[in-house]
Amino acid sequence: MKLKIKKIESDYPYNLLLIADETIEGINTYLFDSQVYVALIEENPVGVFCLLPIDDEVVELMNIAVSEDMQNKGIGSRMLSEAERIAREQSYKRIILGTADCGVKQIRFYEKNSYSQYDVKKNYFLEKYPDEPIFEDAIQLKDMVMLEKRLES
């Protein structure tokens, strides 16, 4: 399975982006200010990630998703590693990201890849989506867990 990751500037794969984010409106709040990369197998998009510059030293991983039929094959780890390589190459010192407090699998994935928790945004999902509560594995999303990884040059 040959995986190719390339930067894109149009024809964004919303079907993949929606795996990691709830709404197209939410995605569009960061998508056009981000560097967007797609993971391809035989030219078929199987994954996507977005890097949003925060300042000269910090970049935020705003979205990372792998198509459901391709999950648990190492593609997410390869994309995360590529995001880190790109961030290092662009002289960022830290890469940060946020995920739901009940996203145990996601938190474990990031910790396995040397990310550590540095903050919790209390009631983030309750305030961002007051009219439509969001559930994951039958648990309502409430807080956002913030994780970081320091990047060595």
Side-chain angles (χ1 to χ4, degrees):
M1 170 175 73
K2 178 126 173 63
L3 186 73
K4 180 170 76 174
I5 297 174
K6 74 174 192 176
K7 186 174 184 179
I8 59 172
E9 296 181 3
S10 62
D11 299 325
Y12 300 112
Y14 281 97
N15 61 319
L16 293 172
L17 292 161
L18 284 163
I19 294 170
D21 210 327
E22 289 70 31
T23 65
I24 289 174
E25 296 77 26
I27 292 166
N28 286 343
T29 63
Y30 58 81
L31 184 67
F32 306 110
D33 294 320
S34 297
Q35 300 169 44
V36 182
Y37 295 84
V38 66
L40 304 161
I41 295 177
E42 296 174 4
E43 298 306 311
N44 296 315
V46 296
V48 64
F49 65 89
C50 303
L51 291 172
L52 178 67
I54 302 301
D55 59 33
D56 290 345
E57 295 194 351
V58 180
V59 66
E60 184 167 358
L61 183 66
M62 292 299 297
N63 189 313
I64 182 169
V66 176
S67 64
E68 291 184 23
D69 61 323
M70 296 303 289
Q71 291 178 5
N72 301 309
K73 298 179 188 294
I75 294 170
S77 292
R78 292 202 23 219
M79 289 193 316
L80 191 58
S81 180
E82 181 67 4
E84 293 164 9
R85 185 195 67 73
I86 291 163
R88 260 189 223 95
E89 195 174 84
Q90 295 176 4
S91 301
Y92 290 105
K93 307 272 186 270
R94 258 171 80 220
I95 187 167
I96 65 171
L97 60 94
T99 193
D101 55 343
C102 63
V104 177
K105 283 189 309 199
Q106 294 92 321
I107 293 169
R108 208 173 286 137
F109 167 74
Y110 293 119
E111 288 175 341
K112 185 180 84 176
N113 284 282
S114 303
Y115 284 74
S116 56
Q117 183 176 324
Y118 73 93
D119 194 14
V120 175
K121 292 183 179 179
K122 293 285 185 196
N123 298 317
Y124 175 86
F125 292 99
L126 300 177
E127 292 167 5
K128 184 160 177 153
Y129 304 99
D131 301 328
E132 290 186 38
I134 299 168
F135 292 85
E136 189 171 302
D137 297 326
I139 300 169
Q140 185 175 357
L141 276 60
K142 182 178 168 191
D143 301 331
M144 180 182 285
V145 175
M146 297 301 297
L147 299 120
E148 71 177 343
K149 183 173 187 177
R150 299 210 173 267
L151 303 170
E152 299 86 34
S153 301

